[in-house]
Amino acid sequence: MGGTFGTRCGLPAVLLCLAALLCANLLLYFYLDALYQDNNPPSAHTQCPLRHFKVGTMTTCTPWLQCPAIRAEVRRVKLIGQGAVKKVYLSEWRGQKVALSVLSSEQYTDDFLHGLSMLRGLQSAHVVTLVGACEEDGVFVTEYHPLGSALTLDATLAQDRYRWRNSWHTRLQLAIDYVAILAYLHSSPVGIRVMCDSNDLHKTLSQFLLASDMRLLANDLDALPEVERGRRGVKCGHHELTGDFVAPEQLWPYGEDVQFSDEAMPGYDEKTDIWKIPDVTRFLLGSVLGSDVIHFHLFQIYTECRRKEPHMRPTALEVLSVYRSVYDSMTETQSQRVRDML
């Protein structure tokens, strides 16, 4: 009787354990599915009318701040960044943290105003939110992102609170964001724009902000010349560029025996940005589990991005399509593994 009773009691317990394991696997599957399928979360930009903003804990949209409000209500807290064109201060406005950019020197007024013009004209899910501006004071205000530029990526993902996000999912999504930003700039509402502050990897990464939800935003827009079809093209600065990071057409083409001349230097177009995509992607992907598989899948598009002839390189939109396809394929493979466990 005792043995029979033990068998009868043990069988439901085993079934209960199996049911619990099945439920756990199902929960894991649905969690991963929800976590990685939404590649394009809604942006505050899409929730506000033109020339309005909503940042931080705000629940309603507000018109861009003008000079009187900026002078009276934006309080500087500390300097958090400085370049040739502007200084950036962590500031406070009505309990919200914001970034106040201040013109560093009048000799860079044109660059400063160009950056402000681009901020106004390019407001979208790809660009940092503009809060307001006062041209006569040489200042503008944007949303504050505490993680700083994309240069902080590795250090940020090494922190305890973000370590769980240090995965190929997060890093490939950042690469997708980067290419999506290029695609947007190359067909923007204000024309075909080239990222000229991108002469090396460090400088390129400094142009983007890393948001707390691990998304990239274009931030520093002081050097975005417009490509006008049928004209000479653009030139990124008036000095000779060197190194492997810049595109071949950005290098002085007449040899070391001929002295560099800005007037004689040929112009180029947005395909210079395409040349740099593989190097930026390698940084963003890092060396996490799965990154080698992603590089394998992206090898062909890397090769096409590095074609010497600019017109032979793909467009940013074509690169973006490949990146999204690889993301979807990797996600489906992982989801299938989870389903196989059930």
Side-chain angles (χ1 to χ4, degrees):
M1 289 291 292
T4 303
F5 179 76
T7 302
R8 289 174 179 173
C9 290
L11 187 59
V14 171
L15 292 175
L16 186 62
C17 290
L18 289 173
L21 180 61
L22 179 62
C23 289
N25 282 332
L26 283 171
L27 287 173
L28 176 62
Y29 168 71
F30 288 124
Y31 167 74
L32 290 171
D33 195 51
L35 183 62
Y36 298 123
Q37 276 196 6
D38 187 9
N39 292 348
N40 296 291
S43 165
H45 288 292
T46 63
Q47 301 168 13
C48 288
L50 187 65
R51 298 180 176 274
H52 287 65
F53 72 93
K54 183 171 64 174
V55 297
T57 59
M58 294 174 63
T59 57
T60 59
C61 298
T62 299
W64 283 344
L65 303 183
Q66 305 298 322
C67 292
I70 293 175
R71 291 166 184 161
E73 301 175 6
V74 177
R75 180 179 63 87
R76 300 184 192 185
V77 177
K78 64 177 180 179
L79 182 69
I80 56 174
Q82 183 172 357
V85 176
K86 57 185 179 290
K87 297 178 181 178
V88 183
Y89 295 86
L90 167 61
S91 302
E92 183 270 340
W93 173 77
R94 296 186 181 180
Q96 305 294 338
K97 291 181 178 179
V98 294
L100 177 70
S101 295
V102 181
L103 177 64
S104 293
S105 170
E106 290 187 0
Q107 72 181 96
Y108 295 112
T109 298
D110 289 344
D111 294 311
F112 184 86
L113 293 179
H114 171 77
L116 175 56
S117 173
M118 292 296 98
L119 269 175
R120 286 172 170 155
L122 293 170
Q123 286 295 286
S124 69
H126 303 293
V127 177
V128 67
T129 300
L130 179 64
V131 172
C134 180
E135 292 187 23
E136 59 190 83
D137 290 351
V139 301
F140 63 80
V141 185
T142 54
E143 183 175 14
Y144 172 66
H145 291 276
L147 297 182
S149 78
L151 289 166
T152 71
L153 178 60
D154 289 337
T156 296
L157 291 177
Q159 297 176 24
D160 289 341
R161 64 183 297 189
Y162 292 112
R163 189 171 289 125
W164 69 276
R165 302 202 67 163
N166 190 20
S167 64
W168 70 259
H169 307 88
T170 296
R171 288 177 172 271
L172 180 54
Q173 181 59 59
L174 288 169
I176 290 172
D177 288 344
Y178 165 66
V179 179
I181 291 170
L182 293 184
Y184 177 63
L185 293 178
H186 293 175
S187 58
S188 83
V190 291
I192 302 169
R193 298 289 169 169
V194 180
M195 293 199 71
C196 266
D197 269 344
S198 59
N199 296 332
D200 58 61
L201 181 60
H202 185 280
K203 185 64 174 176
T204 301
L205 294 168
S206 71
Q207 308 301 298
F208 300 90
L209 287 175
L210 182 62
S212 297
D213 61 352
M214 290 297 127
R215 304 300 294 262
L216 277 191
L217 293 169
N219 177 55
D220 197 335
L221 309 178
D222 297 340
L224 290 181
E226 181 180 6
V227 174
E228 298 182 69
R229 298 301 187 205
R231 301 203 174 183
R232 287 190 62 192
V234 303
K235 287 185 281 188
C236 294
H238 304 289
H239 302 286
E240 183 177 4
L241 301 178
T242 59
D244 296 330
F245 186 79
V246 298
E249 64 270 24
Q250 292 183 279
L251 302 174
W252 178 243
Y254 302 119
E256 296 180 358
D257 295 335
V258 179
Q259 186 176 2
F260 175 81
S261 166
D262 183 38
E263 291 74 19
M265 178 67 197
Y268 32 83
D269 61 21
E270 75 277 8
K271 290 301 183 72
T272 58
D273 290 335
I274 305 301
W275 172 271
K276 300 160 187 174
I277 287 176
D279 283 343
V280 176
T281 300
R282 290 186 185 99
F283 171 85
L284 293 174
L285 286 178
S287 55
V288 295
L289 182 66
S291 61
D292 54 343
V293 178
I294 295 172
H295 287 307
F296 174 78
H297 287 306
L298 295 178
F299 178 80
Q300 182 59 41
I301 199 69
Y302 285 169
T303 302
E304 294 175 15
C305 288
R306 285 306 186 103
R307 285 175 173 163
K308 187 173 181 180
E309 301 81 6
H311 69 278
M312 294 295 291
R313 296 173 204 151
T315 65
L317 201 58
E318 290 170 335
V319 178
L320 180 60
S321 177
V322 173
Y323 275 43
R324 285 176 170 163
S325 176
V326 170
Y327 187 100
D328 291 343
S329 175
M330 293 281 290
T331 303
E332 175 58 30
T333 299
Q334 178 165 313
S335 297
Q336 184 60 52
R337 288 173 182 168
V338 173
R339 289 194 290 270
D340 290 344
M341 292 169 58
L342 300 179

